[in-house]
């Protein structure tokens, strides 16, 4: 499918971010939302061929709301100026690693990993890095991941986390509060529809990274089935 109208819609929304404009363009929004849900459904079908549990998710379980939570924000713009989805076993609110798709004019991207996990999950990931940091380093420095995504991204502590020495061999990984890989997508690829294949290829490359994070988070000895 072509998403030319989606980028146009998001551009117009960014320039006219108000309830009045949205009310006037509700039909346009509903159409673009439905088109994006079709993309989400297509990605879920592809992911479920490798991990059957993705078939249990509905597209709306993965897509984020357009409305912003402005209760505690100085920015009172009511709507997000992107459309996004998160693919993880359990849906977009799951604590395990997942895959991300973000559509925004000039700033579209695919990504994956764990973003700002709660303290118990963060502790588990750091423990796994402490035990198996060399494995994570090998994953992140492998050509397929390094060449595609560059460095692991995410907010980091300025100092070493509690319980870890500042000269720990993997302190740069331990300082992370999020553990994310991402790749930009050009507007031309959004408009042509090529971004779906780009996203799926990126998710495939992330498998070792996701397996590491999944193993860290899982508290049972069950075989890791997450991509």
């Amino acid at each position: 499918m072509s998403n030319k109208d989606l980028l146009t819609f998001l551009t117009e929304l960014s320039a006219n971010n108000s309830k009045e404009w949205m009310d006037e363009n509700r039909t346009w929004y509903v159409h673009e939302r439905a088109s994006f849900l079709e993309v989400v459904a297509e990605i879920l079908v592809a992911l479920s061929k490798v991990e059957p549990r993705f078939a249990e998710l509905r597209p709306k379980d993965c897509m984020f709301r357009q409305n912003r939570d402005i209760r505690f924000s100085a920015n009172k713009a009511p709507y997000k100026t992107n459309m996004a989805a998160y693919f993880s076993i359990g849906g977009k609110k799951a604590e395990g690693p997942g895959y991300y798709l973000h559509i925004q004019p000039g700033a579209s991207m695919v990504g994956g990993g764990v973003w700002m996990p709660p303290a118990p999950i963060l502790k588990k990931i750091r423990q796994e890095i402490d035990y198996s940091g060399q494995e994570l380093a090998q994953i992140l420095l492998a050509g397929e991941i390094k060449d595609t995504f560059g460095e692991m991204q995410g907010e980091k502590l300025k100092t070493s986390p509690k319980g870890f020495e500042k000269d720990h061999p993997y302190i740069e990984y331990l300082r992370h509060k999020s553990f994310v890989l991402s790749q930009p997508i050009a507007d031309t690829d959004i408009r042509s529809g090529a971004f779906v294949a780009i996203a799926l290829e990126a998710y495939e490359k992330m498998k070792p990274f996701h397996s590491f994070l999944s193993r860290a988070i899982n508290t049972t000895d069950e075989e890791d089935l997450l991509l």
Side-chain angles (χ1 to χ4, degrees):
M1 60 169 287
S2 170
N3 280 270
K4 181 177 180 180
D5 286 342
L6 175 54
L7 290 180
T8 303
F9 171 80
L10 293 172
T11 297
E12 291 295 319
L13 174 59
S14 181
N16 304 277
N17 200 329
S18 68
K19 183 177 184 302
E20 291 76 16
W21 185 88
M22 181 64 89
D23 287 344
E24 291 174 2
N25 294 274
R26 180 67 57 179
T27 300
W28 190 7
Y29 164 68
V30 169
H31 173 77
E32 299 309 329
R33 183 179 186 277
S35 296
F36 187 72
L37 281 170
E38 290 178 6
V39 170
V40 173
E42 182 180 352
I43 291 174
L44 280 174
V45 169
L47 291 176
S48 67
K49 292 178 181 178
V50 180
E51 170 45 72
R53 287 181 292 176
F54 276 113
E56 300 171 5
L57 297 177
R58 300 168 297 177
K60 67 179 183 179
D61 295 329
C62 305
M63 183 175 175
F64 290 102
R65 298 174 66 243
Q66 203 66 36
N67 295 70
R68 295 180 62 248
D69 185 352
I70 61 175
R71 292 173 298 172
F72 309 107
S73 174
N75 179 5
K76 298 303 180 181
Y79 305 107
K80 299 170 186 173
T81 56
N82 65 78
M83 283 193 183
Y86 185 66
F87 306 91
S88 181
I89 302 302
K92 58 180 175 284
K93 295 182 180 180
E95 294 181 336
Y99 303 114
Y100 182 61
L101 173 63
H102 180 102
I103 306 299
Q104 183 175 2
S108 298
M109 52 86 74
V110 290
V114 177
W115 184 79
M116 296 299 288
I121 300 298
L122 179 59
K123 181 179 179 181
K124 288 182 178 182
I125 295 173
R126 285 180 173 155
Q127 285 177 339
E128 190 65 27
I129 294 173
D130 184 30
Y131 301 150
S132 306
Q134 183 178 5
E135 179 186 348
L136 178 59
Q138 290 173 341
I139 290 169
L140 294 175
L141 295 174
E144 193 167 52
I145 285 184
K146 181 77 171 177
D147 294 345
T148 302
F149 307 108
E151 304 289 336
M152 183 170 68
Q153 300 153 31
E155 185 178 347
K156 296 193 289 185
L157 295 171
K158 294 181 179 179
T159 60
S160 58
K162 184 178 180 180
F164 298 97
E165 298 295 331
K166 63 181 180 180
D167 60 351
H168 190 288
Y170 301 105
I171 191 62
E172 289 305 310
Y173 298 153
L174 291 167
R175 288 172 54 212
H176 274 261
K177 295 193 286 184
S178 290
F179 307 83
V180 175
L181 299 175
S182 70
Q183 174 188 6
I185 304 178
D187 285 355
T188 53
D189 290 322
I190 301 298
R191 292 190 176 101
S192 70
F195 72 97
V196 175
I198 292 171
L200 291 172
E201 182 179 359
Y203 301 156
E204 174 74 19
K205 291 178 180 178
M206 290 180 195
K207 280 184 180 181
F209 180 63
H210 272 243
S211 293
F212 183 92
L213 293 173
S214 182
R215 188 179 75 219
I217 293 170
N218 289 337
T219 57
T220 69
D221 294 327
E222 294 179 2
E223 180 180 0
D224 172 27
L225 296 178
L226 185 62
L227 293 178

